Amino acid sequence: MAATLRGIGEQGFGRVHLWTLRDTPQSRRFYQKSGFTESGAVRGHDFGDGHPIEQVEYELSLP
């Protein structure tokens, strides 16, 4: 993750946003450990079965 974020920053991007499923504590801990914070944004995403699953957004400002 550190190398990916460094590469994104080197390309001139100042912020990274990602979405993860609400009920996935392991991935949410990973993103928090990597410096991301929950933005408060929530969305439903339909993966094609007609039943949207709730996702939460995480964000990180790059140096």
Side-chain angles (χ1 to χ4, degrees):
M1 178 63 84
T4 299
L5 293 173
R6 188 172 37 257
I8 291 170
E10 288 170 356
Q11 292 179 29
F13 295 95
R15 295 180 74 83
V16 177
H17 296 262
L18 56 86
W19 294 88
T20 191
L21 299 177
R22 175 174 292 287
D23 297 322
T24 54
Q26 185 175 4
S27 62
R28 294 176 77 182
R29 281 191 304 271
F30 173 76
Y31 294 130
Q32 290 170 345
K33 182 180 175 184
S34 298
F36 286 82
T37 57
E38 199 169 325
S39 72
V42 177
R43 71 178 181 188
H45 183 77
D46 184 349
F47 288 93
D49 64 356
H51 296 73
I53 297 174
E54 202 166 79
Q55 297 179 320
V56 293
E57 181 187 40
Y58 279 83
E59 60 187 359
L60 175 69
S61 293
L62 299 172

